[in-house]
């Protein structure tokens, strides 16, 4: 009997070990919310200065690469669709098992949005109400996950504790599973998350008119007793683990903000009343400062309480938050050396090293050449009547095949607004360059097209960029400019 029991224990231990190894593959690792959790787990322990936690408004509100370049910090963000303050608490508990942040920054949309599924977090039995946004499954096996699972599914903890059981049907979807495994093994999850958010589309005039004609009820803007309970739990964790708390808002559409400002102000006053006796808590209401953003900074969506920033809005918001953090916090960073990123090179004024084997050129901007009949100009103006900007050029790095690289373009207005293109640039053949330098250069041409409204007005310097699959970054200052009128 003892031998049989011993074998059962060994078998059980092996089974648990296998489940723990394979369970991360039973969620979609290519998605923005799972990738944010994966980026947290891939960070070295106790290496993060700032941890951001929040909903999709955080994910589409802050670019940690930009913030770290501006503040000389190492930050991570953990975000999930519709995350409420109860989920934020459990995610923070998980964070503190691996990190000792100087600042925990919490995005407050879940506290502000006038919706009962946020205000009512606990049912009559004392169990946490499932919000159908399942960030509990993105955590690794541990006490924080067990506590959260137990509070939501007290009768079925084991089934929900292991993704192997909960998402077993993923096995039948070969395409999803393959995509998830590829993302898990092949890419940097922090870069996956960042690239997902570089959308440039924005609200149409028709949608804006619908917002102008719609009335919004502000009665649901308040901090509930359930929310106060979890806020107190978070504050207690901040005292136990000795970190600063920074609560902040991500801007909403200006038309919507004007119609609901009284509700936003009510929540702000209630939060400040809760925070006033705690010296380690700061509240930064970006909405109040900017009065909301215009339509060119928001992704198209339904006409409701929920608007998400596009890349332009993310750049603006991250810059504002960076300034606030630099002004209000002084601490020694965990960062031992600068994070190697395009943002670090362009935002922090690092010297761009010249590489004679990295050849590139800007051919035309909206069909206009910089060099005509031997006359060279450095700046091309984009007239008001032209909606799009199309830049054609070429770039190639010797001994670095195109299949092993991603080519990007950056447009730098100043140190507060730098647009960096998403993914790989559209390829085009350049026979004249191939004739001059060799056949390897045939596909070195690129075309980059962007809606002018994705950028602010002003003068932009152009940079050509090559990223290798191994993480090497090559930046070429083209000493060419465009101006947007």
């Amino acid at each position: 009997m003892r031998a049989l029991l011993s074998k059962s224990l060994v078998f059980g231990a092996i089974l648990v070990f296998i489940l723990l190894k394979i369970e991360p593959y039973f969620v979609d690792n290519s998605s923005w919310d799972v990738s944010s959790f994966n980026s947290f787990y891939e960070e070295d322990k106790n290496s993060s200065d700032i941890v951001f936690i929040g909903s999709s408004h955080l994910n589409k509100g802050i670019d940690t690469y930009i913030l770290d370049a501006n503040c000389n910090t190492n930050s991570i963000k953990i975000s999930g669709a519709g995350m409420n303050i109860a989920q934020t608490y459990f995610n923070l508990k998980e964070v503190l098992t691996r990190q000792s942040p100087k600042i925990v920054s919490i995005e407050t949309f879940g506290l502000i949005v006038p919706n009962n599924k946020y205000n009512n977090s606990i049912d009559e039995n004392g169990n946490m109400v499932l919000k159908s946004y399942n960030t509990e499954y993105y955590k690794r096996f541990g006490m924080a996950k067990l506590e959260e699972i137990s509070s939501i599914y007290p009768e079925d903890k084991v089934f929900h504790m292991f993704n192997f059981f909960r998402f077993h049907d993923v096995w039948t979807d070969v395409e999803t599973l393959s995509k998830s495994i590829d993302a898990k093994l092949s890419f940097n999850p922090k870069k996956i998350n960042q690239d997902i958010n570089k959308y440039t589309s924005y609200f149409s005039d028709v949608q804006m008119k619908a917002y102008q004609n719609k009335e919004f009820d502000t009665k649901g803007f308040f901090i509930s007793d359930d929310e106060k309970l979890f806020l107190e739990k978070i504050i207690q964790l901040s005292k136990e683990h000795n970190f600063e708390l920074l609560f902040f808002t991500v801007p909403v559409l200006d038309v919507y903000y004007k119609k609901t400002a009284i509700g936003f102000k009510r929540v702000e006053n209630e939060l400040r009343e809760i925070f006033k006796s705690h010296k380690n808590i700061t509240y930064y209401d970006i909405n109040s400062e900017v009065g909301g953003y215009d339509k060119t900074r928001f992704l198209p969506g339904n006409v409701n309480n929920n608007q998400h920033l596009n890349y332009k809005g993310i750049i603006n918001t991250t810059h504002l938050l960076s300034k606030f953090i630099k002004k209000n916090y002084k601490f020694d960073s965990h960062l031992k050396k600068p994070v190697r990123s395009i943002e670090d090179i362009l935002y922090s004024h690092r010297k761009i090293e010249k590489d004679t084997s990295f050849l590139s050129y800007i051919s035309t901007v909206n069909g206009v050449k910089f060099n005509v009949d031997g006359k060279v100009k450095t700046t091309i103006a984009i007239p008001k009547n032209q909606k799009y900007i199309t830049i054609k050029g070429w770039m190639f790095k010797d001994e670095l095949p195109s299949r092993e690289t991603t080519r990007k373009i950056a447009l730098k207005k100043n140190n507060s607004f730098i647009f960096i293109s998403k993914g790989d640039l559209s390829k085009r053949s350049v026979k004249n360059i191939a004739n001059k330098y060799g056949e390897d250069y045939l596909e070195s041409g690129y075309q980059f097209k962007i809606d002018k409204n994705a950028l602010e007005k002003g003068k932009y310097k152009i940079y050509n960029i090559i990223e290798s699959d191994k993480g090497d970054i090559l930046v070429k200052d083209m000493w060419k400019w465009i101006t947007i009128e």
Side-chain angles (χ1 to χ4, degrees), residues 394-403 407 427-445:
W394 62 271
M395 64 177 93
F396 191 84
K397 163 68 175 175
D398 284 344
E399 301 176 358
L400 197 57
S402 298
R403 64 180 179 276
R407 300 179 305 168
K427 291 181 171 62
R428 65 186 187 93
S429 298
V430 282
K431 292 183 179 179
N432 59 322
I433 303 302
N435 291 338
K436 183 175 181 179
Y437 294 104
E439 280 299 310
D440 289 343
Y441 283 73
L442 182 61
E443 299 300 319
S444 65

Side-chain angles (χ1 to χ4, degrees), residues 289-457:
E289 180 175 320
V290 302
Y293 283 156
D294 67 31
K295 68 172 188 175
T296 67
R297 290 166 172 81
F298 288 92
L299 295 169
N302 297 324
V303 180
N304 55 28
N305 297 296
N306 192 22
Q307 308 106 41
H308 290 107
L309 297 178
N310 59 20
Y311 188 37
K312 180 180 180 180
I314 290 172
I315 295 171
N316 293 147
T317 305
T318 305
H319 176 65
L320 289 172
L321 191 58
S322 298
K323 285 178 62 178
F324 184 88
I325 289 173
K326 286 197 292 184
K327 179 180 178 181
N328 291 278
Y329 296 95
K330 305 294 181 185
F331 55 82
D332 293 327
S333 173
H334 286 304
L335 199 62
K336 298 293 187 282
K337 59 181 180 179
V339 175
R340 185 67 174 166
S341 68
I342 299 170
E343 288 77 8
D344 171 60
I345 295 169
L346 294 179
Y347 276 95
S348 57
H349 298 292
R350 286 182 57 191
K351 183 179 179 181
I352 297 175
E353 299 177 4
K354 293 184 177 180
D355 185 340
T356 56
S357 63
F358 178 15
L359 302 182
S360 65
Y361 188 72
I362 305 294
S363 305
T364 62
V365 176
N366 286 9
V368 179
K369 296 180 179 180
F370 283 100
N371 190 338
V372 179
D373 297 329
K375 295 181 180 180
V376 179
K377 57 182 175 179
T378 59
T379 305
I380 292 175
I382 310 298
K384 291 181 179 180
N385 64 343
Q386 293 183 357
K387 182 179 180 182
Y388 294 98
I389 303 169
T390 301
I391 301 174
K392 292 182 179 181
W394 62 271
M395 64 177 93
F396 191 84
K397 163 68 175 175
D398 284 344
E399 301 176 358
L400 197 57
S402 298
R403 64 180 179 276
E404 297 176 4
T405 64
T406 300
R407 300 179 305 168
K408 297 177 181 290
I409 194 169
L411 303 173
K412 181 174 181 178
K413 178 184 176 184
N414 50 42
N415 222 45
S416 65
F417 195 95
I418 304 174
F419 183 98
I420 301 169
S421 62
K422 176 181 180 178
D424 200 5
L425 294 172
S426 298
K427 291 181 171 62
R428 65 186 187 93
S429 298
V430 282
K431 292 183 179 179
N432 59 322
I433 303 302
N435 291 338
K436 183 175 181 179
Y437 294 104
E439 280 299 310
D440 289 343
Y441 283 73
L442 182 61
E443 299 300 319
S444 65
Y446 71 78
Q447 175 173 302
F448 172 69
K449 184 177 182 180
I450 186 173
D451 188 316
K452 190 168 60 177
N453 281 312
L455 303 170
E456 296 178 337
K457 292 180 181 179

Side-chain angles (χ1 to χ4, degrees), residues 167-197:
F167 299 105
H168 62 88
D169 56 322
V170 170
W171 282 112
T172 63
D173 187 342
V174 177
E175 183 178 348
T176 299
L177 183 62
S178 176
K179 186 179 178 182
S180 177
I181 291 173
D182 192 38
K184 184 71 176 171
L185 297 178
S186 304
F187 301 105
N188 178 337
K190 197 170 184 178
K191 291 292 290 182
I192 291 176
N193 187 274
Q194 185 200 41
D195 232 26
I196 286 171
N197 295 318

Side-chain angles (χ1 to χ4, degrees), residues 122 224-234:
I122 303 171
S224 69
D225 289 339
D226 289 352
E227 290 172 322
K228 290 177 182 177
L229 172 65
F230 282 100
L231 280 170
E232 289 299 328
K233 287 176 177 285
I234 289 170

